[in-house]
Amino acid sequence: MESPPPQWIKCNTDAAWHKDQQRCGVGWISRDEYGRMLWAGVRSFQRLGSPIETEAEGIKWAIHSMSRLGYKQVIYETDSQVFAKMINGHEEVWSKLKPLIQEIQHDISGILTTRLCYIQKKNHVPKLYSIVPDWLKLAFETDMSDVSSNNVG
């Protein structure tokens, strides 16, 4: 993964869709110029019509989340080349996706320093950890402190 320029954030998104499932899922992770995780999110949706619609919903949610968190210089990366071409005006937008793409384009047009681009997905070997990796440790510690404080009293 290439780091974003100084003062920028990179937000990678991905989606999971299966034609026989009633639910699909999306996720995103944002990192600073040093590769440190800032925020991440996962979410499920009720049945969406296609993988590309699921990708679009994931990107829309990531854009809304990063905007609410106050980030103004964000590079969004998706592994959906067709979607990236549609959102950037390099390919005709499918009629079913027009409202969703128009909403995303409107959202990113209000933030002049936001970009959305395609990044080729690499084949990753699954990894199992016996300890919490450094990049995820803070998230686990935060979750554990939330659980502990909710169980007190």
Side-chain angles (χ1 to χ4, degrees), residues 142-153:
T142 301
D143 285 348
M144 292 306 293
S145 67
D146 288 347
V147 169
S148 297
S149 66
N150 287 336
N151 290 333
V152 175

Side-chain angles (χ1 to χ4, degrees), residues 85-99:
K85 285 181 176 181
M86 283 192 278
I87 200 93
N88 290 312
H90 301 292
E91 188 166 309
E92 186 175 339
V93 176
W94 301 349
S95 59
K96 183 176 182 173
L97 292 177
K98 278 186 182 179

Side-chain angles (χ1 to χ4, degrees), residues 4 9 11 20 24 29 32 36 39 41 59 63 72 79 101 107 114:
I9 304 301
C11 185
D20 297 328
C24 48
I29 183 168
D32 66 13
R36 292 181 297 220
W39 296 94
I59 290 167
I63 291 168
K72 304 289 185 209
D79 63 353
I101 291 206
D107 290 346
T114 298

Side-chain angles (χ1 to χ4, degrees), residues 53-86:
E53 187 178 352
T54 307
E55 292 279 353
E57 287 290 350
I59 290 167
K60 181 177 89 171
W61 180 49
I63 291 168
H64 287 173
S65 298
M66 294 301 289
S67 179
R68 281 189 299 254
L69 291 166
Y71 294 101
K72 304 289 185 209
Q73 297 187 144
V74 183
I75 299 168
Y76 295 94
E77 291 184 337
T78 176
D79 63 353
S80 175
Q81 187 174 27
V82 172
F83 178 77
K85 285 181 176 181
M86 283 192 278

Side-chain angles (χ1 to χ4, degrees), residues 14-28:
D14 203 6
W17 181 89
H18 190 277
K19 67 179 181 172
D20 297 328
Q21 299 295 320
Q22 292 302 311
R23 290 191 166 282
C24 48
V26 299
W28 58 267

